[in-house]
Amino acid sequence: MTLPRAIYCSSVLIAALLLLVPSSAVVPHALFIFGDSLVDAGNNDYLVTLSKANAPPYGVDFAFSGGEPTGRFTNGMTIADIMGNVKCEFMSNCDCKLDLMSSGTTLSGEALGQKSLAPPYLAPNSSAAMASSGINYGSGSSGIFDDTGSFYIGRIPLRQQIDYFEKTKAQILKTMGEEAATDFFKKALFVIAAGSNDILEYVSPSVPFFGREKPDPSSFQDALVSNLTFYLKRLNELGARKFVVSDVGPLGCIPYVRALEFMPAGECSASANRVTEGYNKKLKRMVERMNQETGPESKFVYTNTYDIVMEIIQNYRQYGFDNALDPCCGGSFPPFLCIGIVNSSSSLCSDRSKYVFWDAFHPTEAANLIVAGKLLDGDADAAFPINVRQLFQYDHK
Ligand SMILES: *[C@@H]1O[C@H](CO)[C@@H](O)[C@H](O)[C@H]1NC(C)=O
Ligand SMILES: *[C@@H]1O[C@H](CO)[C@@H](O)[C@H](O)[C@H]1NC(C)=O
Ligand SMILES: *[C@@H]1O[C@H](CO)[C@@H](O)[C@H](O)[C@H]1NC(C)=O
Protein backbone atom coordinates (compact mmCIF):
# COMPACT_ATOMS: atom_id res chain seq x y z
CA MET A 1 0.00 0.00 0.00
CA THR A 2 1.06 3.56 -0.47
CA LEU A 3 0.48 6.22 2.09
CA PRO A 4 0.08 9.84 1.23
CA ARG A 5 3.14 11.54 2.56
CA ALA A 6 4.39 15.04 2.66
CA ILE A 7 7.07 16.14 0.31
CA TYR A 8 8.94 18.76 2.18
CA CYS A 9 11.18 19.82 -0.60
CA SER A 10 12.47 18.28 -3.73
CA SER A 11 15.27 16.07 -2.54
CA VAL A 12 17.39 17.09 -5.50
CA LEU A 13 16.97 20.68 -4.43
CA ILE A 14 17.88 19.77 -0.87
CA ALA A 15 21.02 18.03 -2.05
CA ALA A 16 21.97 21.01 -4.20
CA LEU A 17 21.36 23.50 -1.45
CA LEU A 18 23.24 21.49 1.12
CA LEU A 19 26.33 22.20 -0.93
CA LEU A 20 25.66 25.93 -1.08
CA VAL A 21 24.25 26.81 2.28
CA PRO A 22 26.32 26.63 5.43
CA SER A 23 25.15 23.63 7.38
CA SER A 24 23.86 25.74 10.25
CA ALA A 25 21.21 27.06 7.89
CA VAL A 26 19.54 23.68 7.56
CA VAL A 27 19.56 22.75 11.20
CA PRO A 28 15.98 23.10 12.35
CA HIS A 29 15.20 24.84 15.58
CA ALA A 30 14.67 22.54 18.50
CA LEU A 31 11.20 21.55 19.69
CA PHE A 32 10.26 21.15 23.33
CA ILE A 33 7.02 19.22 23.38
CA PHE A 34 4.52 18.95 26.24
CA GLY A 35 1.15 17.25 26.44
CA ASP A 36 -0.68 13.95 26.15
CA SER A 37 -0.80 10.92 23.87
CA LEU A 38 -1.32 13.13 20.82
CA VAL A 39 2.36 14.02 21.12
CA ASP A 40 3.91 11.33 23.40
CA ALA A 41 6.92 9.89 21.57
CA GLY A 42 7.57 7.05 24.03
CA ASN A 43 7.74 8.42 27.58
CA ASN A 44 5.04 6.04 28.74
CA ASP A 45 7.23 3.11 27.66
CA TYR A 46 9.26 3.87 30.79
CA LEU A 47 6.29 4.02 33.16
CA VAL A 48 4.10 1.44 34.85
CA THR A 49 0.89 2.40 33.12
CA LEU A 50 -2.13 1.06 31.27
CA SER A 51 -1.59 3.78 28.69
CA LYS A 52 0.99 2.33 26.32
CA ALA A 53 1.55 2.13 22.58
CA ASN A 54 4.72 0.04 22.63
CA ALA A 55 3.61 -2.92 20.53
CA PRO A 56 2.44 -3.47 16.94
CA PRO A 57 0.52 -2.28 15.07
CA TYR A 58 1.37 1.11 16.62
CA GLY A 59 4.10 2.71 14.53
CA VAL A 60 3.47 0.43 11.55
CA ASP A 61 3.90 3.39 9.16
CA PHE A 62 6.52 5.30 11.11
CA ALA A 63 9.23 5.96 8.54
CA PHE A 64 12.03 6.57 11.03
CA SER A 65 11.67 3.26 12.87
CA GLY A 66 10.98 1.11 9.84
CA GLY A 67 7.48 0.38 11.12
CA GLU A 68 8.54 -0.66 14.62
CA PRO A 69 6.50 0.72 17.53
CA THR A 70 8.10 3.68 19.31
CA GLY A 71 5.48 4.46 21.93
CA ARG A 72 3.68 6.92 19.66
CA PHE A 73 -0.08 6.50 19.85
CA THR A 74 -0.62 6.43 16.10
CA ASN A 75 0.50 4.49 13.03
CA GLY A 76 3.11 7.06 11.98
CA MET A 77 4.15 10.61 12.76
CA THR A 78 2.43 12.86 15.25
CA ILE A 79 1.73 16.49 14.41
CA ALA A 80 4.71 17.50 16.56
CA ASP A 81 6.98 15.08 14.62
CA ILE A 82 5.88 16.66 11.36
CA MET A 83 6.51 20.18 12.67
CA GLY A 84 9.98 19.13 13.79
CA ASN A 85 10.85 17.95 10.31
CA VAL A 86 9.98 20.96 8.25
CA LYS A 87 13.45 22.10 7.45
CA CYS A 88 13.42 23.90 4.20
CA GLU A 89 12.10 27.19 5.48
CA PHE A 90 15.55 28.01 6.71
CA MET A 91 17.02 27.72 3.25
CA SER A 92 16.82 30.53 0.81
CA ASN A 93 15.54 29.79 -2.69
CA CYS A 94 13.69 26.70 -1.64
CA ASP A 95 10.01 26.59 -2.34
CA CYS A 96 9.07 23.82 -0.02
CA LYS A 97 5.44 23.95 0.89
CA LEU A 98 4.05 20.81 2.44
CA ASP A 99 2.74 19.17 -0.70
CA LEU A 100 0.21 16.99 1.04
CA MET A 101 -1.46 14.00 -0.54
CA SER A 102 -0.10 14.79 -3.93
CA SER A 103 2.67 12.29 -4.28
CA GLY A 104 1.26 8.87 -3.51
CA THR A 105 4.80 7.72 -2.88
CA THR A 106 6.09 6.51 0.42
CA LEU A 107 9.03 8.53 1.57
CA SER A 108 11.61 6.77 3.63
CA GLY A 109 13.22 8.44 6.60
CA GLU A 110 16.19 9.21 4.42
CA ALA A 111 14.12 10.98 1.82
CA LEU A 112 12.75 13.19 4.56
CA GLY A 113 16.28 14.41 5.19
CA GLN A 114 18.20 14.15 8.40
CA LYS A 115 15.45 13.43 10.83
CA SER A 116 14.83 15.66 13.75
CA LEU A 117 12.74 13.92 16.36
CA ALA A 118 12.76 15.28 19.88
CA PRO A 119 13.45 12.13 21.95
CA PRO A 120 11.27 11.19 24.93
CA TYR A 121 12.65 12.74 28.10
CA LEU A 122 12.60 9.41 29.96
CA ALA A 123 14.66 7.59 27.30
CA PRO A 124 18.03 6.76 28.87
CA ASN A 125 20.13 8.79 26.46
CA SER A 126 17.69 11.56 25.58
CA SER A 127 20.05 14.31 26.71
CA ALA A 128 22.38 13.45 23.81
CA ALA A 129 19.90 15.08 21.42
CA MET A 130 18.55 17.90 23.56
CA ALA A 131 20.65 20.67 22.08
CA SER A 132 19.80 19.74 18.48
CA SER A 133 16.28 18.29 18.41
CA GLY A 134 14.88 19.37 21.75
CA ILE A 135 13.06 17.01 24.11
CA ASN A 136 9.58 15.49 24.20
CA TYR A 137 7.90 15.39 27.63
CA GLY A 138 4.47 14.28 26.37
CA SER A 139 2.76 11.45 28.21
CA GLY A 140 -0.28 9.40 27.24
CA SER A 141 -3.34 9.77 29.52
CA SER A 142 -1.90 12.86 31.23
CA GLY A 143 -3.75 16.12 31.57
CA ILE A 144 -3.50 19.73 32.61
CA PHE A 145 -4.91 18.76 36.01
CA ASP A 146 -2.63 16.53 38.11
CA ASP A 147 -5.40 14.01 38.79
CA THR A 148 -6.39 13.47 35.18
CA GLY A 149 -5.61 9.96 33.93
CA SER A 150 -5.19 8.43 37.39
CA PHE A 151 -7.21 5.43 36.16
CA TYR A 152 -4.25 4.55 33.93
CA ILE A 153 -1.85 4.74 36.91
CA GLY A 154 1.49 5.92 35.46
CA ARG A 155 1.61 9.18 33.48
CA ILE A 156 3.43 12.51 33.62
CA PRO A 157 1.04 15.38 34.39
CA LEU A 158 1.80 18.72 32.76
CA ARG A 159 3.17 20.12 36.03
CA GLN A 160 5.78 17.35 36.19
CA GLN A 161 6.60 17.72 32.49
CA ILE A 162 7.61 21.30 33.20
CA ASP A 163 9.62 20.21 36.25
CA TYR A 164 11.49 17.89 33.89
CA PHE A 165 12.06 20.76 31.48
CA GLU A 166 13.66 22.68 34.33
CA LYS A 167 16.16 19.84 34.70
CA THR A 168 16.83 19.87 30.96
CA LYS A 169 17.36 23.62 31.12
CA ALA A 170 19.93 23.26 33.91
CA GLN A 171 21.82 20.70 31.81
CA ILE A 172 21.77 22.89 28.72
CA LEU A 173 22.96 25.89 30.73
CA LYS A 174 25.86 23.83 31.94
CA THR A 175 26.91 22.62 28.50
CA MET A 176 26.21 25.78 26.46
CA GLY A 177 26.77 28.59 28.87
CA GLU A 178 24.18 31.20 29.73
CA GLU A 179 24.30 33.40 26.65
CA ALA A 180 24.08 30.61 24.09
CA ALA A 181 21.42 28.82 26.12
CA THR A 182 19.24 31.92 26.30
CA ASP A 183 19.48 32.32 22.55
CA PHE A 184 18.80 28.63 22.02
CA PHE A 185 15.59 28.73 24.08
CA LYS A 186 14.53 31.95 22.38
CA LYS A 187 14.57 30.21 19.00
CA ALA A 188 13.14 26.86 20.08
CA LEU A 189 9.47 26.02 19.61
CA PHE A 190 7.51 25.08 22.72
CA VAL A 191 4.57 22.93 21.67
CA ILE A 192 1.85 22.35 24.27
CA ALA A 193 -0.91 19.89 23.34
CA ALA A 194 -2.89 19.16 26.48
CA GLY A 195 -6.47 19.29 27.72
CA SER A 196 -8.06 16.42 25.78
CA ASN A 197 -7.91 13.98 28.68
CA ASP A 198 -9.19 16.52 31.19
CA ILE A 199 -12.24 17.16 29.00
CA LEU A 200 -12.68 13.46 28.20
CA GLU A 201 -12.92 12.67 31.91
CA TYR A 202 -15.30 15.55 32.43
CA VAL A 203 -17.69 14.33 29.72
CA SER A 204 -17.43 10.63 30.69
CA PRO A 205 -20.19 9.84 33.16
CA SER A 206 -18.30 6.78 34.40
CA VAL A 207 -15.30 8.70 35.68
CA PRO A 208 -15.74 10.25 39.13
CA PHE A 209 -14.62 13.87 39.06
CA PHE A 210 -11.87 13.57 41.67
CA GLY A 211 -14.51 12.27 44.09
CA ARG A 212 -16.15 15.66 44.12
CA GLU A 213 -19.24 17.06 42.50
CA LYS A 214 -18.74 18.06 38.88
CA PRO A 215 -18.45 21.81 38.38
CA ASP A 216 -20.63 23.34 35.66
CA PRO A 217 -18.99 23.37 32.21
CA SER A 218 -18.08 27.04 32.35
CA SER A 219 -16.31 26.82 35.73
CA PHE A 220 -14.57 23.66 34.55
CA GLN A 221 -13.33 25.36 31.37
CA ASP A 222 -12.17 28.40 33.35
CA ALA A 223 -10.20 26.25 35.81
CA LEU A 224 -8.56 24.35 32.96
CA VAL A 225 -7.55 27.52 31.10
CA SER A 226 -6.37 29.12 34.33
CA ASN A 227 -4.15 26.13 35.18
CA LEU A 228 -2.73 26.05 31.65
CA THR A 229 -2.03 29.80 31.81
CA PHE A 230 -0.08 29.23 35.00
CA TYR A 231 2.10 26.63 33.22
CA LEU A 232 2.63 28.79 30.13
CA LYS A 233 3.79 31.64 32.34
CA ARG A 234 6.15 29.31 34.13
CA LEU A 235 7.68 28.16 30.84
CA ASN A 236 7.95 31.80 29.78
CA GLU A 237 9.82 32.59 33.00
CA LEU A 238 12.11 29.64 32.27
CA GLY A 239 13.12 31.17 28.94
CA ALA A 240 10.56 29.84 26.46
CA ARG A 241 9.59 32.47 23.87
CA LYS A 242 7.86 30.74 20.95
CA PHE A 243 4.74 28.82 21.88
CA VAL A 244 2.39 26.62 19.90
CA VAL A 245 -0.66 26.26 22.13
CA SER A 246 -2.96 23.57 20.80
CA ASP A 247 -6.69 23.67 21.27
CA VAL A 248 -8.61 20.42 21.82
CA GLY A 249 -10.00 18.62 18.77
CA PRO A 250 -13.66 17.59 18.34
CA LEU A 251 -13.78 15.01 21.14
CA GLY A 252 -17.47 14.35 20.44
CA CYS A 253 -16.40 12.73 17.15
CA ILE A 254 -13.74 10.33 18.43
CA PRO A 255 -14.81 6.67 18.31
CA TYR A 256 -14.48 6.32 22.12
CA VAL A 257 -16.96 9.10 22.90
CA ARG A 258 -19.32 8.12 20.05
CA ALA A 259 -19.53 4.58 21.48
CA LEU A 260 -19.85 5.80 25.06
CA GLU A 261 -22.80 7.97 24.11
CA PHE A 262 -24.34 5.43 21.70
CA MET A 263 -24.20 7.87 18.81
CA PRO A 264 -25.88 6.71 15.58
CA ALA A 265 -23.63 6.11 12.57
CA GLY A 266 -22.21 9.30 11.16
CA GLU A 267 -23.03 11.46 14.18
CA CYS A 268 -20.82 13.14 16.75
CA SER A 269 -21.74 13.89 20.34
CA ALA A 270 -22.96 17.47 20.39
CA SER A 271 -22.64 17.76 24.17
CA ALA A 272 -18.98 16.65 24.24
CA ASN A 273 -18.21 18.99 21.35
CA ARG A 274 -19.94 21.88 23.14
CA VAL A 275 -17.76 21.50 26.23
CA THR A 276 -14.69 21.33 23.98
CA GLU A 277 -15.67 24.37 21.92
CA GLY A 278 -16.32 26.39 25.06
CA TYR A 279 -12.86 25.52 26.35
CA ASN A 280 -11.24 26.39 23.01
CA LYS A 281 -12.91 29.83 22.91
CA LYS A 282 -11.58 30.67 26.35
CA LEU A 283 -8.17 29.28 25.47
CA LYS A 284 -7.94 31.46 22.37
CA ARG A 285 -8.81 34.57 24.39
CA MET A 286 -6.15 33.63 26.92
CA VAL A 287 -3.54 33.27 24.15
CA GLU A 288 -4.45 36.73 22.86
CA ARG A 289 -4.03 38.11 26.37
CA MET A 290 -0.67 36.42 26.76
CA ASN A 291 0.53 38.03 23.52
CA GLN A 292 -0.55 41.45 24.77
CA GLU A 293 0.97 40.99 28.22
CA THR A 294 4.33 39.64 27.11
CA GLY A 295 4.81 41.95 24.11
CA PRO A 296 7.06 41.15 21.11
CA GLU A 297 9.56 39.30 23.34
CA SER A 298 7.30 36.25 23.21
CA LYS A 299 4.91 34.83 20.68
CA PHE A 300 2.00 32.54 21.49
CA VAL A 301 0.24 30.81 18.59
CA TYR A 302 -3.19 29.27 19.11
CA THR A 303 -3.88 26.36 16.78
CA ASN A 304 -7.41 25.54 15.69
CA THR A 305 -7.26 21.79 15.14
CA TYR A 306 -10.94 21.58 16.13
CA ASP A 307 -12.21 23.27 12.98
CA ILE A 308 -9.61 21.60 10.79
CA VAL A 309 -10.51 18.08 11.96
CA MET A 310 -14.25 18.87 11.74
CA GLU A 311 -13.76 20.01 8.17
CA ILE A 312 -11.86 16.83 7.33
CA ILE A 313 -14.60 14.69 8.89
CA GLN A 314 -17.36 16.53 7.03
CA ASN A 315 -15.56 16.45 3.68
CA TYR A 316 -13.53 13.29 4.17
CA ARG A 317 -13.78 12.08 0.58
CA GLN A 318 -12.34 15.34 -0.72
CA TYR A 319 -9.31 14.66 1.46
CA GLY A 320 -8.88 11.14 0.11
CA PHE A 321 -10.40 9.23 3.03
CA ASP A 322 -12.98 6.44 2.79
CA ASN A 323 -13.93 6.48 6.45
CA ALA A 324 -14.40 9.53 8.68
CA LEU A 325 -15.50 8.21 12.05
CA ASP A 326 -14.51 4.55 12.56
CA PRO A 327 -11.07 3.68 13.84
CA CYS A 328 -8.71 1.79 11.56
CA CYS A 329 -7.54 -0.31 14.49
CA GLY A 330 -9.36 -1.93 17.40
CA GLY A 331 -12.94 -1.58 16.26
CA SER A 332 -15.67 0.91 17.12
CA PHE A 333 -16.79 -0.69 20.39
CA PRO A 334 -15.25 -1.30 23.81
CA PRO A 335 -12.69 -2.50 24.72
CA PHE A 336 -11.18 -0.86 21.58
CA LEU A 337 -8.23 -3.21 21.70
CA CYS A 338 -5.72 -2.09 19.08
CA ILE A 339 -2.45 -3.13 20.66
CA GLY A 340 -1.22 -6.59 19.72
CA ILE A 341 -3.87 -7.37 17.10
CA VAL A 342 -1.41 -7.15 14.27
CA ASN A 343 -2.56 -10.27 12.43
CA SER A 344 -6.30 -9.95 12.82
CA SER A 345 -7.77 -8.32 9.76
CA SER A 346 -11.09 -7.86 11.58
CA SER A 347 -9.51 -5.31 13.93
CA LEU A 348 -7.00 -3.65 11.62
CA CYS A 349 -8.04 -1.91 8.42
CA SER A 350 -6.11 -2.78 5.31
CA ASP A 351 -5.35 0.78 4.20
CA ARG A 352 -4.43 3.17 7.01
CA SER A 353 -4.36 6.13 4.65
CA LYS A 354 -8.12 5.87 4.10
CA TYR A 355 -9.06 6.44 7.75
CA VAL A 356 -9.19 9.66 9.73
CA PHE A 357 -8.97 7.78 13.03
CA TRP A 358 -6.24 5.30 13.84
CA ASP A 359 -7.70 3.97 17.10
CA ALA A 360 -10.59 4.97 19.38
CA PHE A 361 -8.77 8.12 20.51
CA HIS A 362 -6.14 9.16 17.98
CA PRO A 363 -5.96 10.30 14.36
CA THR A 364 -3.95 8.49 11.70
CA GLU A 365 -0.72 9.88 10.32
CA ALA A 366 -2.64 10.68 7.13
CA ALA A 367 -4.94 12.98 9.12
CA ASN A 368 -2.01 14.41 11.10
CA LEU A 369 -0.25 15.37 7.86
CA ILE A 370 -3.23 17.38 6.69
CA VAL A 371 -3.68 19.09 10.06
CA ALA A 372 0.04 19.87 10.40
CA GLY A 373 0.11 21.29 6.87
CA LYS A 374 -2.69 23.72 7.72
CA LEU A 375 -1.10 24.75 11.01
CA LEU A 376 2.19 25.39 9.23
CA ASP A 377 0.94 27.30 6.23
CA GLY A 378 -2.71 28.11 6.87
CA ASP A 379 -4.43 31.43 7.51
CA ALA A 380 -5.54 32.92 10.84
CA ASP A 381 -8.48 30.48 11.03
CA ALA A 382 -5.96 27.62 11.32
CA ALA A 383 -3.27 29.24 13.47
CA PHE A 384 -3.58 32.59 15.22
CA PRO A 385 -2.21 35.26 15.11
CA ILE A 386 0.48 33.80 12.83
CA ASN A 387 0.99 30.31 11.44
CA VAL A 388 3.62 27.89 12.67
CA ARG A 389 5.98 28.50 9.75
CA GLN A 390 5.90 32.22 10.55
CA LEU A 391 6.51 31.37 14.19
CA PHE A 392 9.61 29.38 13.20
CA GLN A 393 10.83 32.44 11.32
CA TYR A 394 9.68 34.97 13.92
CA ASP A 395 12.49 37.27 14.96
CA HIS A 396 12.19 38.62 18.46
CA LYS A 397 12.46 42.38 18.75
C1 LIG B 1 19.83 6.15 22.23
O1 LIG B 1 20.07 4.78 22.37
C2 LIG B 1 19.45 4.00 21.38
C3 LIG B 1 19.66 2.55 21.73
O2 LIG B 1 20.96 2.32 22.17
C4 LIG B 1 19.99 4.37 19.99
O3 LIG B 1 19.35 3.63 19.00
C5 LIG B 1 19.74 5.84 19.77
O4 LIG B 1 20.31 6.25 18.55
C6 LIG B 1 20.31 6.67 20.89
N1 LIG B 1 19.90 8.04 20.71
C7 LIG B 1 20.74 9.05 20.86
C8 LIG B 1 20.13 10.40 20.70
O5 LIG B 1 21.91 8.92 21.12
C1 LIG C 1 -6.31 24.83 38.86
O1 LIG C 1 -7.62 24.25 38.90
C2 LIG C 1 -8.09 23.98 40.20
C3 LIG C 1 -9.46 23.36 40.06
O2 LIG C 1 -9.37 22.08 39.58
C4 LIG C 1 -8.16 25.24 41.01
O3 LIG C 1 -8.57 24.94 42.33
C5 LIG C 1 -6.79 25.92 41.02
O4 LIG C 1 -6.89 27.15 41.67
C6 LIG C 1 -6.30 26.14 39.61
N1 LIG C 1 -4.94 26.69 39.64
C7 LIG C 1 -4.59 27.76 38.95
C8 LIG C 1 -3.19 28.20 39.07
O5 LIG C 1 -5.37 28.35 38.23
C1 LIG D 1 1.83 -12.19 11.68
O1 LIG D 1 1.89 -12.59 10.34
C2 LIG D 1 3.16 -12.50 9.77
C3 LIG D 1 3.08 -12.83 8.29
O2 LIG D 1 1.92 -13.53 7.98
C4 LIG D 1 4.11 -13.43 10.53
O3 LIG D 1 5.41 -13.31 9.98
C5 LIG D 1 4.13 -13.00 11.99
O4 LIG D 1 4.94 -13.90 12.73
C6 LIG D 1 2.74 -13.00 12.56
N1 LIG D 1 2.80 -12.44 13.91
C7 LIG D 1 2.13 -12.96 14.93
C8 LIG D 1 2.27 -12.24 16.23
O5 LIG D 1 1.46 -13.95 14.85
Side-chain angles (χ1 to χ4, degrees), residues 17-329:
L17 281 163
L18 280 172
L19 301 173
L20 301 173
V21 181
S23 64
S24 65
V26 296
V27 174
H29 296 174
L31 259 63
F32 291 90
I33 300 160
F34 304 81
D36 53 34
S37 55
L38 290 170
V39 293
D40 188 347
N43 281 309
N44 278 22
D45 289 1
Y46 302 95
L47 300 176
V48 177
T49 178
L50 301 176
S51 173
K52 274 192 198 279
N54 61 346
Y58 285 91
V60 62
D61 298 308
F62 192 63
F64 304 117
S65 67
E68 292 298 312
T70 61
R72 285 172 175 77
F73 289 76
T74 181
N75 59 316
M77 288 188 279
T78 67
I79 290 173
D81 292 330
I82 299 164
M83 283 182 186
N85 283 283
V86 178
K87 296 171 184 279
C88 306
E89 71 268 31
F90 303 109
M91 302 177 179
S92 49
N93 311 320
C94 182
D95 177 24
C96 50
K97 292 202 164 58
L98 265 179
D99 184 10
L100 299 169
M101 315 294 290
S102 67
S103 82
T105 56
T106 302
L107 287 186
S108 68
E110 270 162 88
L112 280 166
Q114 350 147 245
K115 72 177 162 85
S116 172
L117 296 171
Y121 174 80
L122 294 181
N125 54 357
S126 65
S127 60
M130 68 188 176
S132 52
S133 311
I135 298 278
N136 187 321
Y137 307 89
S139 168
S141 82
S142 74
I144 295 171
F145 292 143
D146 293 341
D147 293 339
T148 294
S150 49
F151 168 80
Y152 293 92
I153 310 169
R155 78 252 178 242
I156 315 168
L158 192 54
R159 177 196 307 279
Q160 197 180 350
Q161 294 183 25
I162 296 171
D163 289 345
Y164 285 157
F165 170 70
E166 241 182 309
K167 294 195 172 138
T168 303
K169 186 193 166 182
Q171 267 180 294
I172 288 182
L173 274 174
K174 217 156 71 186
T175 52
M176 276 189 192
E178 180 143 2
E179 204 175 320
T182 302
D183 192 54
F184 171 70
F185 289 125
K186 231 168 96 174
K187 289 178 175 152
L189 235 59
F190 286 72
V191 179
I192 299 97
S196 295
N197 291 321
D198 306 277
I199 298 179
L200 267 183
E201 288 196 3
Y202 181 80
V203 301
S204 304
S206 54
V207 181
F209 196 73
F210 316 153
R212 297 197 309 270
E213 209 174 313
K214 255 187 198 185
D216 64 89
S218 186
S219 313
F220 167 76
Q221 292 155 350
D222 287 338
L224 210 49
V225 170
S226 165
N227 275 257
L228 182 56
T229 309
F230 174 80
Y231 294 129
L232 292 180
K233 286 184 174 163
R234 211 175 131 207
L235 282 173
N236 198 219
E237 279 159 18
L238 289 168
R241 293 295 178 264
K242 295 186 180 190
F243 294 85
V244 178
V245 183
S246 178
D247 66 332
V248 171
L251 291 179
C253 300
I254 69 171
Y256 170 80
V257 170
R258 293 184 56 252
L260 204 76
E261 304 206 357
F262 304 102
M263 298 313 296
E267 282 182 36
C268 301
S269 159
S271 60
N273 277 348
R274 244 191 330 268
V275 177
T276 309
E277 282 184 290
Y279 166 76
N280 287 341
K281 264 202 196 101
K282 292 175 183 194
L283 179 68
K284 188 176 179 190
R285 279 204 294 271
M286 179 271 272
V287 166
E288 281 179 82
R289 263 200 317 277
M290 291 292 284
N291 276 320
Q292 285 160 5
E293 282 174 22
T294 55
E297 290 272 295
S298 303
K299 202 60 142 179
F300 296 81
V301 170
Y302 169 86
T303 63
N304 184 0
T305 65
Y306 184 99
D307 282 346
I308 297 170
V309 172
M310 266 319 233
E311 218 261 324
I312 294 171
I313 288 172
Q314 277 155 9
N315 303 299
Y316 63 97
R317 292 209 181 269
Q318 259 166 265
Y319 286 94
F321 295 107
D322 287 343
N323 194 311
L325 291 174
D326 297 312
C328 164
C329 183

